[in-house]
Amino acid sequence: MLESLITSQTRIRLLLKFFLNSNTSSYLRGLAEEFQESTNAVRIELNRLEKAGLLTATFLGNKKIYQANVKHPLFNEIHNILLKHTGIDQVIERVTESLGNITKVYLIGEMAEGRDSKIIEIVLVGNQIDKDNLSRLCKSVEEMIGRRIQAQIISPEKETVHFEKEKSLLLLWEKAAPRIKIK
């Protein structure tokens, strides 16, 4: 879908890298190695995105570090388009609607690092989640989006300990606190 709108594969990779997880930052040579592209091709796209205001850059020594500009008026729209492109929006919608005891959904792994992957790794935080139902839901969504889903379940009590060693983590969804009615 996205490939028909944006013809540059390098630009798509950069958007995925920086706009799926806005905490992601990187520099030219690191991106060129990760994408297995020439530094010139990556530099051209970085310059275009920076000139458009979609990326910000800071210097760390002699390295120019890039990051998504979360204050850009199109940031949320681009982020949402990428969630749809990767199918993550369907995972969130189907899983959270059908499994009522979930309090949070995290994205981990390659996609949390901003790299496109055929596997969506999620961690569900909640109690008394039916694993068989989760498995059926994942298979249904996998067929719809053409990607594999690896889902882990942890209890809210183990959330902090579980994520201590996780270097790439993105909170995708959190159950809203119930509203208190005032009479």
Side-chain angles (χ1 to χ4, degrees), residues 93-104:
E93 185 179 314
R94 301 292 168 118
V95 170
T96 58
E97 281 180 0
S98 302
L99 301 172
N101 296 322
I102 297 174
T103 56
K104 293 180 185 173

Side-chain angles (χ1 to χ4, degrees), residues 86-175:
T86 57
I88 294 171
D89 66 322
Q90 289 296 315
V91 174
I92 296 167
E93 185 179 314
R94 301 292 168 118
V95 170
T96 58
E97 281 180 0
S98 302
L99 301 172
N101 296 322
I102 297 174
T103 56
K104 293 180 185 173
V105 178
Y106 288 96
L107 180 68
I108 61 171
E110 287 186 355
M111 283 200 155
E113 294 171 358
R115 291 187 299 207
D116 201 2
S117 174
K118 292 290 180 195
I119 301 171
I120 298 174
E121 297 176 67
I122 59 172
V123 177
L124 308 172
V125 180
N127 290 315
Q128 301 171 344
I129 297 171
D130 181 354
K131 291 179 183 177
D132 292 332
N133 191 20
L134 174 61
S135 179
R136 283 190 297 277
L137 285 168
C138 286
K139 288 196 184 312
S140 169
V141 175
E142 285 174 348
E143 291 172 11
M144 188 184 325
I145 65 174
R147 294 177 194 262
R148 264 191 62 227
I149 300 169
Q150 290 181 346
Q152 301 175 38
I153 302 169
I154 61 169
S155 68
E157 299 80 30
K158 296 182 179 178
E159 181 179 357
T160 305
V161 174
H162 183 81
F163 292 126
E164 280 179 352
K165 296 177 184 170
E166 192 67 49
K167 59 182 177 179
S168 297
L169 176 72
L170 177 62
L171 179 63
L172 292 174
W173 180 87
E174 186 170 15
K175 187 175 188 174

